[in-house]
Amino acid sequence: MAQVEPDRATKAQPEEGERTRQTMKALILNSGCGTRMGQLTVQQPKCMTKLSPCETILSRQLRQLSQAGIQEVVMTTGPFAEMLEEYCQALALPLRYTFVYNKDYQSTNYIYSIFLAQEHLNEELLLLHGDLVMEDAVVFQAVESRRSCMVISSTAPLPDKDFKARLCEGRIAAVGIDLFDSAVAAQPLYHLLPEDWKIWKARIDAFCKAGTVSCYAEEAFNQESDRCAVYPLDIRNLLCAEIDSPDDLAVVCARLTALADRTVYMSFSSDLLHSGHIAIIRKAQRLGKLTIGVLTDEAVSSYKRFPLVPFTERRAMLESIAGVERVVEQRTLSYRENLQTYRPDIVVHGDDWATGSLRFIREEALSVLKSYGGELVEFPYAMGEIYEEIERRARAELALPDLRRARLKKLLQLKGFVTAMEAHSGLTGLIVENTVVSSEEGTHQFDAMWVSSLCDSTAKGKPDIELVDMTSRLRTIDDIMEVTTKPVIFDGDTGGLAEHFSYTVRTLERMGVSMVIIEDKIGLKKNSLFGTEVAQTQDSIEHFSAKIAAGKRAQKTTDFMICARIESLILEKGVEDALQRASAFVTAGADAIMIHSRKTQPDEIFQFVDRFRAQDPVTPLVVVPTSFASVREEEFRRRGVNLVIYANQLTRSGFPAMRNAAVSILTHRRASECDAFCMPIQEIISLIPEEH
Ligand code: SPV
Ligand code: MG
């Protein structure tokens, strides 16, 4: 797995690289004789050796430098100097050249050529040998590096004769051909910031003035390596190789041919394209033919916010990017299916997924890649403030009433199965909004929020008997909506009088609530979990159907849903009665049916679900597994339930925690004992960051 410049992970600004390149020169060393090339260097310099019918080592280098944004080249020359100069000009690339001829090329090494060229070398530098053949990605990575670097490969075997580098504390400590202990393969391609180059150059100057002109320039570097901060740029298996002999040439040409077929895959979930995305797409394209896997809406919403732009448009957006070979669907967060189908040579990703909720996805992708010899290349994740601002704006948009209201229906259509969690305040709303759990099985979060009458009343210290008035209930919804984006399902109790219910529907709809659930009870409503311990009257089918119909008539949009909640099992009237009611309420216009039970065994719920599904395969079914809590979501899904509501768990877990703190302080006459189970002050004061 290639890790590219880990230090750049923080707040990478894509424009930065551009700025650097304009003031950066390339120094190409072409003063060598290339005698090991045999016939190939009898009539022309080594760098003019052909790699293909239309490319030489030099024309390839110059094209790459120009594409990477370099405008000035200093070239040291030796044999065939004039031919070389003419050749460069004939290529007609947008590059300015300074040629520096080393007439003593036969008796000196390139350290002396650099010495001769030094008056032209006062800027940031890309230094490379004239016989290096590189793939585009290597040149770009070297040019874009924010710190001085030398190309190394942690995967290549140590070469016998060529350069090796010894690393110390993450930096290049020494470069040479005789370093074998604790060394890595290295290539003579450097990016040197002015401060580092100045030190190295001064030492080259001292060497040459002292008559030491036949050694490698790296010997001068080795004496200064503690002052020159040159870091390894690990290109692992990417192509960067010197050509010293016809054998080298054959190997490199074969690698270039294979490179033309190299395939790259990256997955894309974002609905807003920003310059950071374009930058990573460009980097991926340089590695090979790029396939982009677009995550489906369902996959995106399973791990982050609901996409503002639907799948088909996201796909079209990526298809229109020049150089993207193919755009395919990625149906899950997991890469497994697409990696097995397309078997890309390389997967590209930002380096942000090594920790956090995506780490399991990364580990799985790595293991699939390993199974067929593919590789993962990670680039620094660009997350400057501008991107955070874009994300903030996207979230603000998702919270707008029209978008939020419509989302529950969309999620039901998209996923077929969704979950909701109780919220009764801004804070609990934030917990439902932001809690994400990741494991090998995937990433999970709640899809929606349930504004429970029980928890809303309890938070206000009142019984759950429709005592908290609608204005107060709406205030709770507003508090939650102000700080969240997920769809809201409102517990409408009995819905009150049909005449009042119409107004409630319009108000909820206007606020952006997605669904109201009303129960078929009449008179003084008490919480269903009392069962038959309290006297409760079930509404007649006719009367309750009329209320549903009144609500549907009042509704202005098509997104809003009215769910009819059937209390037959709570009131021990049996599954038959519940089924009869369900069918009547659907006929009256109910968009969904909720079936409730307070039995700890789910048998009667399952019986209802199975029989309802047999008579009605489409109307969404809702359950609230408070008593029958042992049933897993997968079982409900399999039986045809569409929405599971966890109706009261934040309230029930919060209350004992708070009471324990109160008891602890009263018991010990001080607060220190309860600190152990309290959130630290620093955390609570920064729990909710201010918006700027
Ligand atoms: C609520 O949460 O207020 C409900 C569900 O209505 S239950 O408490 O199970 O009746
Ligand atoms: Mg309730």
Side-chain angles (χ1 to χ4, degrees):
M1 193 262 318
Q3 181 74 39
V4 183
E5 291 179 73
D7 72 321
R8 295 178 60 207
T10 48
K11 313 245 171 201
Q13 303 292 325
E15 304 80 21
E16 196 79 7
E18 296 291 338
R19 186 174 56 73
T20 322
R21 279 172 249 170
Q22 282 170 16
T23 58
M24 189 175 177
K25 280 183 182 173
L27 169 61
I28 310 180
L29 304 173
N30 271 325
S31 49
C33 295
T35 40
R36 283 170 56 202
M37 294 294 280
Q39 283 303 310
L40 290 168
T41 47
V42 171
Q43 286 178 352
Q44 60 179 26
K46 179 160 76 166
C47 62
M48 283 175 63
T49 303
K50 276 194 180 312
L51 297 168
S52 72
C54 49
E55 193 171 61
T56 63
I57 302 175
L58 180 58
S59 74
R60 182 179 176 86
Q61 284 183 348
L62 294 174
R63 171 191 54 81
Q64 290 172 321
L65 293 172
S66 168
Q67 282 175 349
I70 286 180
Q71 295 169 352
E72 282 211 60
V73 174
V74 176
M75 195 181 298
T76 64
T77 60
F80 311 105
E82 264 178 45
M83 183 194 286
L84 201 50
E85 289 185 28
E86 276 170 24
Y87 178 71
C88 289
Q89 302 297 358
L91 289 171
L93 287 163
L95 292 168
R96 290 186 298 278
Y97 300 95
T98 305
F99 296 98
V100 178
Y101 177 56
N102 176 2
K103 66 179 172 38
D104 300 319
Y105 64 84
Q106 275 179 317
S107 57
T108 61
N109 205 333
Y110 58 82
I111 188 169
Y112 186 64
S113 305
I114 297 174
F115 171 75
L116 295 176
Q118 62 178 308
E119 66 175 292
H120 306 289
L121 302 173
N122 295 315
E123 298 81 1
E124 190 166 351
L125 211 61
L126 193 82
L127 192 166
L128 65 153
H129 284 199
D131 58 1
L132 265 187
V133 177
M134 304 153 289
E135 63 176 276
D136 293 357
V138 170
V139 180
F140 273 83
Q141 282 176 26
V143 168
E144 286 170 357
S145 173
R146 293 240 190 132
R147 53 190 191 177
S148 296
C149 64
M150 177 188 199
V151 164
I152 62 123
S153 167
S154 60
T155 53
L158 277 192
D160 275 349
K161 297 197 188 105
D162 293 335
F163 279 124
K164 291 161 278 285
R166 184 174 299 141
L167 309 182
C168 183
E169 290 173 2
R171 280 175 31 182
I172 305 278
V175 181
I177 55 172
D178 301 321
L179 308 169
F180 285 94
D181 291 338
S182 344
V184 286
Q187 293 297 343
L189 169 61
Y190 304 85
H191 179 160
L192 298 161
L193 299 187
E195 56 273 27
D196 299 313
W197 172 232
K198 202 169 153 198
I199 297 169
W200 186 0
K201 194 172 66 151
R203 183 56 63 176
I204 290 175
D205 188 64
F207 265 51
C208 291
K209 282 185 176 150
T212 312
V213 291
S214 300
C215 64
Y216 292 118
E218 279 75 4
E219 288 193 24
F221 168 81
N222 292 346
Q223 291 193 2
E224 297 288 3
S225 66
D226 51 344
R227 295 206 296 145
C228 287
V230 179
Y231 294 83
L233 174 63
D234 187 1
I235 59 158
R236 291 179 60 95
N237 300 327
L238 301 184
L239 173 64
C240 181
E242 274 187 291
I243 297 198
D244 286 323
S245 65
D247 284 350
D248 291 348
L249 181 65
V251 170
V252 164
C253 287
R255 283 190 68 184
L256 284 174
T257 309
L259 214 133
D261 292 327
R262 195 202 273 155
T263 55
V264 180
Y265 182 84
M266 65 183 282
S267 157
F268 212 84
S269 62
S270 185
D271 43 11
L272 299 155
L273 263 186
H274 57 58
S275 55
H277 295 134
I278 297 294
I280 200 161
I281 288 173
R282 293 281 171 255
K283 285 177 182 171
Q285 284 173 330
R286 279 178 214 129
L287 293 169
K289 292 180 188 157
L290 177 61
T291 294
I292 297 185
V294 187
L295 280 183
T296 58
D297 292 342
E298 181 187 348
V300 176
S301 55
S302 76
Y303 90 107
K304 59 181 204 180
R305 63 170 172 75
F306 194 85
L308 275 175
V309 181
F311 171 79
T312 43
E313 282 185 42
R314 287 185 288 121
R315 172 147 84 183
M317 183 166 84
L318 290 161
E319 274 168 347
S320 68
I321 296 178
V324 173
E325 286 263 321
R326 177 170 53 172
V327 180
V328 299
E329 179 183 79
Q330 183 173 322
R331 290 191 301 174
T332 61
L333 254 193
S334 158
Y335 282 54
R336 180 179 291 281
E337 186 182 357
N338 281 9
L339 293 192
Q340 283 170 344
T341 307
Y342 303 108
R343 295 174 71 86
D345 299 305
I346 292 177
V347 165
V348 164
H349 200 284
D351 61 3
D352 54 318
W353 67 338
T355 54
S357 62
L358 293 180
R359 67 188 185 284
F360 297 107
I361 302 293
R362 178 179 180 270
E363 276 160 27
E364 186 194 46
L366 270 172
S367 97
V368 179
L369 282 167
K370 199 172 163 209
S371 71
Y372 66 86
E375 223 194 324
L376 174 64
V377 173
E378 293 177 328
F379 290 105
Y381 178 63
M383 50 169 297
E385 273 167 27
I386 174 116
Y387 309 140
E388 282 165 26
E389 177 55 27
I390 289 173
E391 193 51 33
R392 247 196 308 277
R393 268 191 263 149
R395 284 190 173 269
E397 211 158 307
L398 279 176
L400 290 175
D402 280 349
L403 282 179
R404 188 190 310 235
R405 188 197 312 111
R407 216 164 319 124
L408 183 65
K409 211 175 217 180
K410 269 197 199 144
L411 279 168
L412 281 166
Q413 283 161 358
L414 214 63
K415 300 170 82 171
F417 180 84
V418 299
T419 58
M421 177 61 160
E422 173 257 313
H424 56 267
S425 60
L427 185 62
T428 48
L430 281 175
I431 291 177
V432 183
E433 176 86 5
N434 296 326
T435 308
V436 180
V437 167
S438 300
S439 68
E440 282 90 347
E441 288 164 27
T443 300
H444 295 287
Q445 59 175 317
F446 297 109
D447 299 293
M449 287 173 279
W450 165 243
V451 183
S452 145
S453 68
L454 171 65
C455 300
D456 201 1
S457 307
T458 304
K460 291 170 173 51
K462 302 236 167 102
D464 182 18
I465 52 171
E466 295 193 88
L467 173 65
V468 178
D469 66 24
M470 193 52 76
T471 309
S472 181
R473 304 278 325 269
L474 297 178
R475 183 70 237 159
T476 305
I477 298 179
D478 201 43
D479 284 347
I480 295 170
M481 284 190 154
E482 223 176 313
V483 294
T484 61
T485 66
K486 289 184 176 174
V488 170
I489 302 166
F490 182 65
D491 177 355
D493 288 318
T494 64
L497 298 174
E499 292 82 347
H500 294 177
F501 183 54
S502 310
Y503 281 89
T504 308
V505 165
R506 276 199 214 131
T507 307
L508 294 173
E509 220 186 350
R510 202 170 51 241
M511 290 177 85
V513 170
S514 303
M515 177 190 268
V516 61
I517 301 187
I518 51 171
E519 55 199 274
D520 59 352
K521 286 199 300 210
I522 201 154
L524 178 64
K525 183 224 86 154
K526 295 205 172 171
N527 186 278
S528 302
L529 300 174
F530 283 117
T532 49
E533 291 159 28
V534 291
Q536 290 286 276
T537 314
Q538 198 170 16
D539 201 355
S540 69
I541 290 182
E542 296 68 30
H543 187 255
F544 195 68
S545 295
K547 199 185 291 186
I548 294 167
K552 287 312 286 178
R553 278 197 303 278
Q555 193 176 316
K556 291 280 177 237
T557 68
T558 53
D559 318 319
F560 187 76
M561 289 189 276
I562 297 177
C563 173
R565 162 172 167 176
I566 296 166
E567 292 288 296
S568 304
L569 304 182
I570 295 281
L571 301 172
E572 295 179 0
K573 300 220 177 128
V575 171
E576 205 59 54
D577 182 71
L579 284 166
Q580 196 191 343
R581 282 169 174 269
S583 154
F585 299 155
V586 170
T587 308
D591 299 286
I593 293 292
M594 172 179 152
I595 184 68
H596 207 15
S597 159
R598 68 171 195 140
K599 298 242 166 79
T600 50
Q601 292 307 315
D603 305 2
E604 61 177 13
I605 282 281
F606 287 167
Q607 226 184 348
F608 175 89
V609 171
D610 295 348
R611 291 183 59 187
F612 180 76
R613 271 289 160 258
Q615 74 185 36
D616 179 341
V618 288
T619 305
L621 259 183
V622 184
V623 295
V624 177
T626 303
S627 306
F628 42 101
S630 62
V631 183
R632 286 192 193 279
E633 288 169 10
E634 193 42 47
E635 167 101 65
F636 286 126
R637 179 206 288 261
R638 200 172 46 74
R639 289 179 180 270
V641 170
N642 307 91
L643 169 59
V644 167
I645 298 176
Y646 298 99
N648 46 46
Q649 285 76 7
L650 293 188
T651 298
R652 283 166 59 211
S653 56
F655 185 83
M658 290 190 277
R659 194 181 43 196
N660 284 348
V663 167
S664 169
I665 290 172
L666 285 175
T667 307
H668 300 284
R669 304 284 197 277
R670 63 177 192 180
S672 122
E673 282 72 15
C674 81
D675 270 358
F677 50 93
C678 283
M679 190 178 227
I681 294 293
Q682 203 47 43
E683 241 175 79
I684 186 78
I685 60 174
S686 53
L687 183 67
I688 298 167
E690 284 176 44
E691 277 198 25
H692 299 289

